[in-house]
Amino acid sequence: MARRRTTDADDLPRYFVWVRGLEGPEPQKWTAMDFGVGDWKRPLVLAYLELPEDERPLSLSVLARRYPPPRVEPS
């Protein structure tokens, strides 16, 4: 059985994030480091969810269907 190589990055929490895009909410996957330092959060983040380990390999399209975007008022 092949062993999967692990790195420190494998231990970081993974998040499914909806960000404000040019044409509406766009899904992305982030690590904890993508949010920045301390309490600072990126202003374009509409919603985020920490992914359980079994959902981390799922594609963005599958996650987007599973966790739909939040309703956003046009600005």
Side-chain angles (χ1 to χ4, degrees), residues 6-47:
T6 60
T7 63
D8 290 339
D10 291 334
D11 298 332
L12 295 173
R14 304 273 191 241
Y15 296 87
F16 176 66
V17 182
W18 282 102
V19 297
R20 190 180 314 276
L22 294 175
E23 297 181 20
E26 295 179 4
Q28 296 182 357
K29 284 185 184 178
W30 288 12
T31 64
M33 293 185 297
D34 293 321
F35 283 103
V37 177
D39 292 335
W40 179 79
K41 300 282 189 245
R42 293 183 184 234
L44 299 179
V45 173
L46 301 171

Side-chain angles (χ1 to χ4, degrees), residues 37-66:
V37 177
D39 292 335
W40 179 79
K41 300 282 189 245
R42 293 183 184 234
L44 299 179
V45 173
L46 301 171
Y48 66 95
L49 169 75
E50 186 172 349
L51 291 171
E53 198 166 325
D54 62 327
E55 289 186 341
R56 291 177 186 175
L58 296 177
S59 68
L60 283 176
S61 60
V62 169
L63 290 169
R65 283 191 301 273
R66 190 172 287 187

